[in-house]
Amino acid sequence: MTDKNKLLRLQGDIEEIRNRRIQQFVLVCILLLVTLSIVAVLSAQISIMVYMMICVVLLCGTLLLLRRGQTTLASHIILAVTLFCIFQSMWDGSGLRSAAVIAYPAVLLLAMVMVGTRSFYVVSASMLLYIVILSVATMNGWRTGTEATRGYLTMIDHLAVLAASTFLIRVLASDLLLLLARLRQELVEVEQSKLAAEHLAYHDNLTGLPNR
């Protein structure tokens, strides 16, 4: 195996680990959605079961994309499906008091680490906008059969918490990505040094020809 092939193999191993983590996240989401779908059927909430199963199908599709190496497309679909599930759960549930709000920081971290900075800002803006829409819909009675909230006070509270979480996750994720990039570079440099040492051990320093 040539030096170049060894370096490419090292980079491929790092990318494989990243894809494996994404696949594990998708499998957990699928298991969770299937469980919630069963609960929805038992509760006679057929509409909720339908959109959850659609999300399961989309997530299964991302597994195929990941196997084909289309990580970027798969990551965007995963983020979109995750956001849709959270938004729909809040709309059908207790609005801003829904437990789905807890998932916001995790999704932000996922967007930053898995996709990139641009997706992080898109997801952040989507969350903030949806909180405003949800609050207005609740106060005007556009959502039926849900628990009333404290109106603008609740909206301001959630926006403040989400804004603070967004800033904190942005800083932490940036540091994490920087450390990972440095670690990757150091691994490549170590591998290059190792290959250079092996070359010097078995080749002549002046001619570069293999030793006899």
Side-chain angles (χ1 to χ4, degrees):
M1 183 180 295
T2 64
D3 296 353
K4 183 178 180 180
N5 289 337
K6 288 184 178 180
L7 292 176
L8 291 175
R9 181 179 178 182
L10 176 62
Q11 294 176 352
D13 290 341
I14 296 174
E15 188 66 22
E16 182 181 354
I17 293 174
R18 176 172 173 265
N19 288 345
R20 191 183 307 157
R21 293 293 176 263
I22 297 176
Q23 290 178 13
Q24 291 172 350
F25 172 78
V26 172
L27 291 174
V28 170
C29 289
I30 291 175
L31 179 61
L32 179 62
L33 287 173
V34 170
T35 303
L36 293 176
S37 298
I38 296 174
V39 174
V41 171
L42 296 177
S43 304
Q45 297 175 324
I46 305 301
S47 60
I48 296 178
M49 183 273 295
V50 170
Y51 83 72
M52 284 187 176
M53 293 310 299
I54 293 175
C55 292
V56 169
V57 172
L58 291 174
L59 290 176
C60 290
T62 61
L63 292 176
L64 296 177
L65 292 175
L66 289 171
R67 291 181 181 274
R68 296 177 180 177
Q70 300 180 0
T71 307
T72 302
L73 177 59
S75 300
H76 282 96
I77 295 176
I78 293 169
L79 278 179
V81 171
T82 304
L83 278 179
F84 174 78
C85 291
I86 293 174
F87 291 166
Q88 189 67 29
S89 176
M90 293 175 65
W91 186 272
D92 292 336
S94 55
L96 296 179
R97 295 182 180 180
S98 173
V101 178
I102 302 175
Y104 272 12
V107 175
L108 287 172
L109 184 60
L110 185 68
M112 183 67 187
V113 175
M114 189 172 67
V115 184
T117 305
R118 181 178 299 179
S119 295
F120 173 83
Y121 287 122
V122 171
V123 171
S124 302
S126 301
M127 290 177 172
L128 293 171
L129 179 61
Y130 187 74
I131 285 179
V132 174
I133 293 174
L134 190 65
S135 300
V136 173
T138 301
M139 288 182 287
N140 288 277
W142 299 339
R143 296 171 56 240
T144 58
T146 56
E147 183 180 355
T149 64
R150 294 182 298 148
Y152 288 107
L153 292 178
T154 303
M155 180 183 70
I156 293 173
D157 290 343
H158 282 74
L159 288 175
V161 172
L162 182 58
S165 300
T166 300
F167 173 76
L168 180 60
I169 291 174
R170 174 69 176 87
V171 173
L172 293 177
S174 297
D175 293 341
L176 177 61
L177 290 175
L178 180 60
L179 291 175
L180 289 176
R182 289 180 178 176
L183 178 60
R184 181 179 301 180
Q185 182 63 30
E186 289 180 2
L187 288 174
V188 172
E189 291 176 357
V190 169
E191 187 68 19
Q192 288 176 338
S193 299
K194 179 181 177 182
L195 294 175
E198 291 179 355
H199 185 273
L200 290 175
Y202 297 102
H203 294 76
D204 185 84
N205 294 338
L206 297 177
T207 63
L209 297 175
N211 295 329
R212 295 182 178 179

XYZ file of all heavy atoms in Angstrom, residues 78-129:
389
model
N -32.516 14.400 7.587
C -32.658 14.051 9.004
C -33.039 15.276 9.824
O -33.936 15.224 10.680
C -31.344 13.434 9.531
C -31.092 12.083 8.869
C -31.398 13.270 11.049
C -29.708 11.527 9.122
N -32.381 16.397 9.568
C -32.705 17.630 10.292
C -34.133 18.078 10.009
O -34.867 18.480 10.922
C -31.723 18.738 9.898
C -30.376 18.752 10.609
C -29.518 19.886 10.078
C -30.546 18.881 12.110
N -34.537 18.020 8.742
C -35.888 18.446 8.369
C -36.945 17.571 9.040
O -37.946 18.078 9.573
C -36.049 18.405 6.850
N -36.730 16.266 9.031
C -37.688 15.349 9.653
C -37.749 15.570 11.161
O -38.832 15.580 11.764
C -37.305 13.886 9.335
C -38.152 12.916 10.148
C -37.479 13.607 7.850
N -36.591 15.768 11.779
C -36.553 15.991 13.226
C -37.297 17.261 13.608
O -38.092 17.279 14.558
C -35.094 16.079 13.708
O -34.390 14.895 13.318
C -35.040 16.206 15.222
N -37.057 18.338 12.858
C -37.760 19.593 13.132
C -39.263 19.445 12.935
O -40.064 19.949 13.729
C -37.220 20.703 12.224
C -35.936 21.399 12.671
C -35.526 22.440 11.648
C -36.106 22.035 14.035
N -39.657 18.759 11.871
C -41.084 18.568 11.612
C -41.755 17.824 12.763
O -42.856 18.192 13.199
C -41.283 17.799 10.306
C -42.713 17.427 10.043
C -43.611 18.369 9.565
C -43.168 16.141 10.292
C -44.941 18.031 9.334
C -44.485 15.793 10.062
C -45.371 16.743 9.579
N -41.106 16.778 13.254
C -41.678 16.002 14.362
C -41.831 16.864 15.616
O -42.855 16.792 16.312
C -40.803 14.787 14.655
S -40.825 13.521 13.375
N -40.821 17.684 15.895
C -40.887 18.550 17.074
C -41.993 19.583 16.920
O -42.807 19.796 17.832
C -39.527 19.237 17.300
C -38.466 18.203 17.679
C -39.636 20.296 18.391
C -37.071 18.775 17.785
N -42.043 20.233 15.759
C -43.059 21.260 15.528
C -44.465 20.669 15.581
O -45.379 21.251 16.176
C -42.828 21.930 14.171
C -41.587 22.780 14.116
C -41.081 23.217 12.902
C -40.918 23.137 15.274
C -39.942 24.002 12.849
C -39.770 23.917 15.238
C -39.287 24.351 14.013
N -44.648 19.518 14.961
C -45.966 18.885 14.942
C -46.383 18.451 16.340
O -47.553 18.569 16.724
C -45.950 17.679 13.997
C -47.313 17.067 13.740
C -48.215 18.002 12.959
O -47.742 18.817 12.173
N -49.517 17.895 13.171
N -45.423 17.957 17.113
C -45.721 17.541 18.483
C -46.155 18.732 19.330
O -47.086 18.631 20.141
C -44.493 16.867 19.094
O -44.719 16.529 20.441
N -45.508 19.866 19.142
C -45.879 21.066 19.887
C -47.248 21.578 19.457
O -48.044 22.036 20.273
C -44.818 22.148 19.687
C -43.469 21.809 20.303
S -42.199 23.045 19.931
C -42.867 24.472 20.801
N -47.537 21.495 18.161
C -48.826 21.983 17.652
C -49.979 21.117 18.151
O -51.023 21.627 18.561
C -48.803 22.003 16.132
C -50.028 22.628 15.531
C -51.202 22.018 15.209
C -50.190 24.011 15.200
N -52.090 22.918 14.689
C -51.499 24.160 14.670
C -49.372 25.132 15.280
C -51.991 25.384 14.232
C -49.861 26.349 14.844
C -51.153 26.466 14.334
N -49.795 19.798 18.110
C -50.854 18.884 18.545
C -50.924 18.756 20.061
O -51.945 18.332 20.600
C -50.632 17.490 17.946
C -50.827 17.478 16.441
O -51.545 18.359 15.932
O -50.250 16.598 15.773
N -49.835 19.090 20.744
C -49.785 18.916 22.191
C -50.127 20.186 22.941
O -51.075 20.903 22.605
N -49.312 20.480 23.942
C -49.595 21.625 24.818
C -48.805 22.865 24.434
O -48.492 23.702 25.280
C -49.299 21.247 26.274
O -47.979 20.766 26.404
N -48.452 22.974 23.164
C -47.808 24.191 22.685
C -46.431 24.412 23.274
O -45.583 23.519 23.273
N -46.222 25.605 23.813
C -44.918 25.949 24.369
C -44.621 25.207 25.661
O -43.492 25.247 26.148
C -44.839 27.460 24.611
C -44.912 28.330 23.350
C -44.846 29.795 23.715
C -43.795 27.970 22.384
N -45.620 24.555 26.223
C -45.397 23.734 27.411
C -45.085 22.289 27.053
O -44.921 21.450 27.930
C -46.622 23.780 28.314
C -46.900 25.153 28.902
C -48.089 25.116 29.829
N -48.362 26.423 30.408
C -49.357 26.672 31.257
N -50.166 25.690 31.611
N -49.539 27.883 31.739
N -45.018 22.009 25.769
C -44.756 20.645 25.323
C -43.334 20.224 25.690
O -42.395 21.023 25.677
C -44.951 20.542 23.810
O -44.553 19.275 23.339
N -43.192 18.938 25.987
C -41.864 18.406 26.316
C -40.933 18.417 25.111
O -39.715 18.293 25.259
C -42.003 16.986 26.858
N -41.505 18.591 23.909
C -40.679 18.608 22.700
C -39.716 19.784 22.678
O -38.697 19.748 21.980
C -41.578 18.649 21.463
N -40.019 20.840 23.446
C -39.137 22.006 23.492
C -37.753 21.617 24.011
O -36.739 22.216 23.640
C -39.759 23.109 24.373
C -38.844 24.314 24.478
C -41.107 23.528 23.805
N -37.711 20.591 24.854
C -36.439 20.156 25.430
C -35.475 19.699 24.337
O -34.250 19.776 24.494
C -36.683 19.020 26.443
C -37.638 19.490 27.546
C -35.383 18.532 27.054
C -38.026 18.406 28.521
N -36.022 19.239 23.214
C -35.174 18.714 22.141
C -34.495 19.813 21.332
O -33.596 19.516 20.540
C -36.011 17.840 21.207
N -34.889 21.058 21.502
C -34.316 22.145 20.709
C -32.786 22.220 20.802
O -32.103 22.273 19.772
C -34.940 23.476 21.128
C -36.216 23.820 20.388
C -36.863 22.877 19.602
C -36.775 25.081 20.472
C -38.026 23.179 18.926
C -37.943 25.405 19.791
C -38.565 24.448 19.019
O -39.707 24.761 18.342
N -32.211 22.265 22.009
C -30.740 22.353 22.080
C -30.031 21.183 21.399
O -28.998 21.374 20.747
C -30.468 22.368 23.593
C -31.726 22.893 24.200
C -32.821 22.352 23.354
N -30.589 19.982 21.542
C -29.968 18.811 20.918
C -29.985 18.926 19.396
O -29.010 18.576 18.720
C -30.688 17.541 21.363
N -31.089 19.438 18.845
C -31.187 19.591 17.395
C -30.207 20.652 16.901
O -29.589 20.506 15.841
C -32.631 19.953 16.991
C -32.720 20.228 15.500
C -33.579 18.827 17.364
N -30.044 21.724 17.667
C -29.081 22.761 17.299
C -27.659 22.205 17.274
O -26.883 22.479 16.347
C -29.171 23.929 18.286
C -30.398 24.830 18.158
C -30.444 25.817 19.314
C -30.393 25.568 16.834
N -27.324 21.435 18.285
C -25.995 20.825 18.325
C -25.815 19.852 17.167
O -24.750 19.799 16.538
C -25.803 20.103 19.659
C -24.428 19.480 19.907
C -23.353 20.553 19.872
C -24.402 18.750 21.239
N -26.865 19.107 16.868
C -26.819 18.162 15.758
C -26.594 18.886 14.436
O -25.792 18.459 13.600
C -28.127 17.369 15.706
C -28.220 16.250 14.674
C -27.279 15.114 15.045
C -29.646 15.738 14.577
N -27.292 20.013 14.249
C -27.150 20.779 13.011
C -25.741 21.329 12.854
O -25.173 21.320 11.755
C -28.166 21.918 12.988
N -25.164 21.794 13.957
C -23.836 22.396 13.894
C -22.760 21.360 13.610
O -21.884 21.559 12.760
C -23.540 23.111 15.218
C -22.221 23.841 15.243
S -22.229 25.244 14.106
C -20.513 25.741 14.210
N -22.824 20.242 14.295
C -21.779 19.228 14.179
C -21.959 18.380 12.923
O -20.999 18.062 12.225
C -21.763 18.332 15.436
C -20.766 17.199 15.276
C -21.424 19.166 16.662
N -23.214 18.021 12.613
C -23.465 17.070 11.538
C -23.467 17.726 10.159
O -23.013 17.130 9.179
C -24.803 16.364 11.774
C -25.074 15.206 10.834
S -26.548 14.286 11.313
C -27.832 15.496 11.007
N -23.963 18.952 10.066
C -24.106 19.594 8.760
C -23.151 20.778 8.616
O -22.284 20.793 7.759
C -25.561 20.043 8.521
C -25.700 20.624 7.121
C -26.511 18.868 8.701
N -23.325 21.802 9.474
C -22.439 22.953 9.358
C -23.069 24.218 9.897
O -24.210 24.229 10.375
N -22.314 25.307 9.802
C -22.743 26.579 10.379
C -24.006 27.115 9.718
O -24.907 27.622 10.393
C -21.615 27.615 10.248
O -20.423 27.083 10.838
C -21.982 28.910 10.944
N -24.090 27.026 8.397
C -25.259 27.564 7.695
C -26.540 26.873 8.142
O -27.552 27.527 8.421
C -25.072 27.411 6.188
C -26.227 27.966 5.368
C -25.960 27.839 3.883
N -24.768 28.574 3.488
C -24.297 28.606 2.244
N -24.909 27.923 1.291
N -23.214 29.304 1.966
N -26.504 25.558 8.232
C -27.687 24.819 8.681
C -28.024 25.154 10.127
O -29.193 25.190 10.510
C -27.449 23.312 8.537
O -27.314 22.957 7.183
N -26.997 25.415 10.931
C -27.226 25.795 12.324
C -28.056 27.066 12.400
O -29.028 27.149 13.163
C -25.883 25.987 13.026
C -25.992 26.535 14.423
C -26.251 25.697 15.489
C -25.839 27.893 14.661
C -26.346 26.199 16.776
C -25.932 28.401 15.942
C -26.186 27.553 17.003
N -27.702 28.069 11.611
C -28.445 29.330 11.636
C -29.847 29.171 11.049
O -30.801 29.804 11.521
C -27.667 30.406 10.880
C -26.451 30.894 11.620
C -25.189 30.816 11.049
C -26.555 31.423 12.904
C -24.062 31.253 11.735
C -25.437 31.863 13.593
C -24.193 31.777 13.001
O -23.086 32.208 13.686
N -29.987 28.332 10.031
C -31.311 28.085 9.450
C -32.227 27.416 10.468
O -33.392 27.800 10.641
C -31.188 27.220 8.179
C -32.564 26.772 7.698
C -30.480 27.990 7.077
N -31.697 26.414 11.162
C -32.485 25.722 12.184
C -32.841 26.670 13.327
O -33.975 26.676 13.822
C -31.713 24.495 12.713
C -32.415 23.893 13.927
C -31.577 23.445 11.619
N -31.893 27.495 13.751
C -32.152 28.456 14.832
C -33.267 29.423 14.451
O -34.191 29.671 15.235
C -30.877 29.237 15.159
O -29.838 28.373 15.534
N -33.175 29.969 13.234
C -34.205 30.906 12.772
C -35.563 30.220 12.665
O -36.598 30.810 13.010
C -33.796 31.492 11.426
N -35.571 28.974 12.205
C -36.829 28.229 12.087
C -37.473 28.022 13.450
O -38.696 28.163 13.609
C -36.576 26.872 11.420
O -36.016 27.034 10.137
N -36.663 27.698 14.441
C -37.189 27.486 15.793
C -37.776 28.771 16.372
O -38.876 28.775 16.941
C -36.074 26.962 16.698
C -35.637 25.551 16.398
S -34.268 25.044 17.466
C -34.150 23.306 17.047
N -37.047 29.866 16.230
C -37.526 31.145 16.761
C -38.819 31.569 16.070
O -39.771 32.027 16.720
C -36.449 32.218 16.576
C -35.171 32.031 17.398
C -34.111 33.036 16.969
C -35.447 32.174 18.885
N -38.866 31.415 14.752
C -40.062 31.786 14.003
C -41.247 30.917 14.399
O -42.375 31.411 14.552
C -39.791 31.661 12.502
C -40.962 31.984 11.572
C -41.407 33.436 11.757
C -40.575 31.729 10.112
